[in-house]
Amino acid sequence: MSFSDPRTRCDRTGAWAALRAHYERAGRGFDLRAAFAQDAQRFERFSQQAPHVFADLSKNLIDAPTETLLLELARECGLEAYRDAMFAGAPINNTEQRAAMHWLLRKPAPAQSGQVQTATNIVVNGLRDVHATLDAMLQLAEQVRADEAITDIVNIGIGGSDLGPAMVVKALDDLRHPAKRLHFVSNVDGMELGSLLRGLRPERTLFLIASKTFTTLETMTNAHAARDWFLAQGGSQERLTRHFYALTTNLEAAAEFGITTTLGFWDWVGGRYSLWSAIGLPIAIAIGAQGFRELLAGAHAMDAHFCSAPLASNLPVRLALLDLWYRNFFGFTSRSMAPYSHGLRRLPAYLQQLEMESNGKGVDAQGAPLPYATSPVIWGEPGTNGQHAFFQMIHQGPDVVPVEFIALREGGRDLPGQHPRLVANALAQARALMTGRPHEDCGHRSFSGNRPSSFLLLERLDPASLGALIALYEHRVFASGALWGINSFDQWGVELGKTIARDLEPRLATGDTEGLDASTAGLLRRLAS
Ligand code: F6P
């Protein structure tokens, strides 16, 4: 399939130069307190409702002229045409010649008669395959839920085959089947799987080997260790097929491993975008088929918003433009994620992969070095825990760190009386960052204020809202990558370390340091057995 990239790189647009001038003239000295004092409508002007997510962007260092220029930049960059190319199934992952169609995984099944005439084959055929696999997966999930013998489900996977499902299962714990415990094992450090296995009984355990490629070192090491443990506990090869399922695109390798129950997916689903596919089986086991369909529906509602809302009221686009404004003009190097929700405690870790593996690139899609910064560092902890750790630095440190608060209008089912205390803290932190508090006599007690934050509000943490929130982040990452002119769907940066590890592992046994640099050699000698 031929594909000509419709994008123009951001630094080659007229809007980029205009933004540079605007930043020097007005952006650099922007003051949030003055902006609120001058504009009684600022909250209304810079907040919006998107599907399942209300966003208050008013505490950001932007005004109407800034937003106008940023929107002009998006237009000049060809963001809409590039978005449409993704939704048409064009191979926008150009270094791997693949489409990026994770959005197709949440598209409803087409009505039997009126198939969309304009859709390309990859989309039409893909959607048919998606729904066949989805139906099979949800049926399997319901079988596991009904199987009283199985109490523990162990997902063995890493990166996108772990972070998304683990985050969602934790977030929706209120809806979890009460008789099923879900465990997630990712690290090649044997301590993780080993300590879990000590508490498990093989006849009660189902292992899900989750790996797009079925070759990932950590996952295959843990999968083999789990199989050895299962067989050593008296499990037969025959019973193994009942206790091990594979979620992968590499059906052959799964069969070779001895697994007969396999759910497949496709190379056009990036690892970090795969929780909607077969990789989501642990989610479906935890919350059931209906819950999983609601998760997909929430995400689909956000897809529709991203595809159809004008740029000025398109939430993923507005967030992406803010990221660019802060990263490339203010020079802020990171963004802190502050979900005021215990359920969302793994969201920062999930977003670290989604954002930094996608947009942590130093060359454009054609491979030319970039003269500007790309992904900010994403970090964070749930509130209020972060307040007692690093918020000191966010309030008073010399670096400005934009914070993204996420709160729920309704809390979880346990101890609901504590919820107002939680959200009061989220509101208080955002307000304190903005207003600051000068102290004339004591610098230690002085807060400069004017520190930016966004505030996202969900009605409650249910599958549909969570699906929409995740899709919002996926599209924001896509939009940022589109503006920066990079390929957000490859991850070549993870390869070199893997290759070197393969070379070093046998040297740990022999102590061979030939050809190594002095530092690696010195450490290897100390580590060699
Ligand atoms: O770390 C690189 C990576 O390829 C991620 O992109 C991916 O999510 C992870 O490894 C796991 O890959 P797989 O699902 O193929 O085991």
Side-chain angles (χ1 to χ4, degrees):
M1 194 191 317
S2 70
F3 166 64
S4 100
D5 193 330
R7 294 177 296 175
T8 303
R9 228 172 67 179
C10 54
D11 60 330
R12 296 177 179 146
T13 61
W16 180 269
L19 277 163
R20 175 73 52 216
H22 177 68
Y23 172 75
E24 295 301 338
R25 200 173 50 245
R28 185 197 287 283
F30 185 83
D31 190 277
L32 276 168
R33 287 125 336 166
F36 273 100
Q38 282 157 18
D39 181 1
Q41 296 301 306
R42 185 173 169 84
F43 172 74
E44 286 72 20
R45 226 184 283 288
F46 290 100
S47 63
Q48 77 165 96
Q49 181 68 55
H52 301 281
V53 183
F54 176 80
D56 172 20
L57 308 181
S58 65
K59 293 197 201 73
N60 282 292
L61 307 177
I62 44 167
D63 54 12
T66 312
E67 205 167 43
T68 303
L69 284 173
L70 286 169
L71 291 166
E72 178 53 26
L73 179 79
R75 272 179 221 107
E76 286 186 40
C77 285
L79 172 59
E80 286 157 298
Y82 191 60
R83 173 199 63 196
D84 295 346
M86 174 170 76
F87 280 89
I92 60 171
N93 175 355
N94 63 322
T95 61
E96 297 176 304
Q97 275 305 300
R98 288 178 187 164
M101 299 206 301
H102 44 284
W103 51 269
L104 193 68
L105 299 165
R106 52 241 188 177
K107 197 172 159 75
Q112 291 301 40
S113 47
Q115 198 138 71
V116 189
Q117 292 305 311
T118 52
T120 53
N121 276 345
I122 184 170
V123 173
V124 173
N125 297 336
L127 191 58
R128 195 192 47 224
D129 295 349
V130 160
H131 280 276
T133 307
L134 176 64
D135 292 345
M137 166 177 141
L138 295 183
Q139 202 184 352
L140 190 60
E142 289 299 338
Q143 269 170 32
V144 175
R145 284 165 67 81
D147 184 347
E148 287 176 14
I150 299 296
T151 53
D152 292 89
I153 295 96
V154 182
N155 188 83
I156 296 182
I158 197 164
S161 300
D162 165 71
L163 290 162
M167 183 269 287
V168 172
V169 165
K170 283 179 174 58
L172 301 177
D173 191 58
D174 277 359
L175 304 176
R176 180 174 50 84
H177 189 302
K180 307 289 173 198
R181 285 181 293 266
L182 284 109
H183 313 275
F184 289 85
V185 172
S186 53
N187 204 321
V188 74
D189 183 343
M191 184 177 178
E192 189 178 16
L193 179 62
S195 65
L196 175 65
L197 292 179
R198 279 201 293 276
L200 296 181
R201 288 162 56 194
E203 70 280 9
R204 293 284 200 177
T205 305
L206 172 65
F207 290 96
L208 308 178
I209 313 303
S211 175
K212 180 176 170 182
T213 54
F214 226 76
T215 57
T216 304
L217 171 110
E218 294 86 341
T219 301
M220 296 328 296
T221 305
N222 282 324
H224 282 100
R227 188 176 65 180
D228 292 348
W229 171 85
F230 183 84
L231 295 174
Q233 307 278 316
S236 62
Q237 191 67 38
E238 202 188 331
R239 285 185 57 221
L240 190 127
T241 59
R242 208 177 97 67
H243 289 264
F244 281 74
Y245 297 172
L247 319 173
T248 185
T249 58
N250 189 348
L251 307 184
E252 261 174 38
E256 219 165 276
F257 184 91
I259 295 182
T260 51
T261 306
T262 300
L263 290 170
F265 57 111
W266 308 273
D267 69 0
W268 44 258
V269 184
R272 53 195 173 273
Y273 301 85
S274 64
L275 71 89
W276 323 97
S277 71
I279 293 292
L281 180 63
I283 303 172
I285 294 174
I287 65 170
Q290 180 56 26
F292 196 82
R293 287 195 190 277
E294 288 166 18
L295 181 82
L296 297 179
H300 179 67
M302 190 58 77
D303 295 340
H305 168 79
F306 181 51
C307 284
S308 62
L311 293 181
S313 54
N314 194 310
L315 189 54
V317 172
R318 293 178 87 189
L319 290 170
L321 288 169
L322 268 176
D323 286 337
L324 177 138
W325 180 231
Y326 287 152
R327 192 75 187 95
N328 301 122
F329 293 89
F330 283 89
F332 301 155
T333 54
S334 77
R335 183 175 83 242
S336 186
M337 293 304 310
Y340 274 65
S341 158
H342 180 69
L344 290 175
R345 63 195 175 283
R346 290 295 286 164
L347 184 70
Y350 165 77
L351 290 178
Q352 283 180 332
Q353 186 199 21
L354 180 66
E355 301 210 24
M356 296 198 278
E357 198 171 79
S358 297
N359 285 346
K361 309 282 165 67
V363 295
D364 67 17
Q366 284 68 46
L370 291 174
Y372 48 81
T374 56
S375 177
V377 175
I378 305 298
W379 59 288
E381 277 287 313
T384 61
N385 300 13
Q387 290 175 210
H388 300 273
F390 48 77
F391 265 63
Q392 161 64 40
M393 179 263 216
I394 293 184
H395 283 288
Q396 288 187 318
D399 291 309
V400 173
V401 179
V403 182
E404 197 147 295
F405 294 93
I406 302 176
L408 313 174
R409 206 178 67 77
E410 272 174 37
R413 69 168 178 216
D414 294 319
L415 304 176
Q418 295 186 191
H419 190 63
R421 194 165 283 182
L422 177 69
V423 290
N425 271 277
L427 279 179
Q429 292 300 322
R431 178 167 156 73
L433 286 168
M434 176 181 75
T435 59
R437 190 183 63 193
H439 195 294
E440 273 157 29
D441 308 326
C442 180
H444 299 291
R445 291 168 197 242
S446 190
F447 293 77
S448 63
N450 203 34
R451 299 197 170 213
S453 66
S454 301
F455 203 105
L456 306 185
L457 191 56
L458 309 185
E459 204 45 33
R460 65 188 73 80
L461 200 48
D462 59 17
S465 309
L466 184 58
L469 183 72
I470 300 169
L472 169 66
Y473 282 106
E474 286 180 349
H475 295 321
R476 174 210 205 139
V477 167
F478 170 84
S480 306
L483 297 167
W484 283 321
I486 59 186
N487 179 357
S488 299
F489 296 100
D490 60 11
Q491 57 282 319
W492 298 105
V494 304
E495 295 302 327
L496 179 59
K498 288 188 198 173
T499 311
I500 297 178
R502 273 197 293 275
D503 169 51
L504 292 181
E505 191 179 328
R507 292 170 182 255
L508 283 165
T510 60
D512 172 17
T513 58
E514 204 190 321
L516 298 179
D517 62 275
S519 165
T520 308
L523 290 168
L524 189 131
R525 272 193 292 274
R526 279 166 184 75
L527 285 162
S529 45

